[in-house]
Amino acid sequence: MDMLWSGWGDPAKATPLPDTVTALLRDLLGVKPRGTGPVELEDIDVPESPLTAAAHRALRDAVGDE
């Protein structure tokens, strides 16, 4: 954590929490550290959309192609 938790102050002077405090907060809040790094986009298998052609057109018309 490189920024003050409250968002106040000079980010250049912010210091990270000690590991013991970070571990305590994780335990209290039930946060588990990430076991692995992020997944590459090309490694994600996305199934075909279940939308019908008409629903897909309606969605595209509402929000655009992007």
Side-chain angles (χ1 to χ4, degrees):
M1 295 182 197
D2 294 330
M3 184 64 183
L4 296 174
W5 70 271
S6 64
W8 290 89
D10 182 355
K13 294 181 181 177
T15 58
L17 291 172
D19 290 340
T20 53
V21 174
T22 301
L24 176 64
L25 287 172
R26 282 188 175 139
D27 287 344
L28 291 172
L29 298 174
V31 176
K32 304 288 185 234
R34 203 179 266 185
T36 61
V39 176
E40 295 295 327
L41 185 59
E42 57 269 6
D43 293 336
I44 298 174
D45 184 27
V46 179
E48 287 293 320
S49 172
L51 291 178
T52 64
H56 192 261
R57 276 192 304 277
L59 180 60
R60 189 177 54 238
D61 289 346
V63 298
D65 287 331
E66 294 291 318

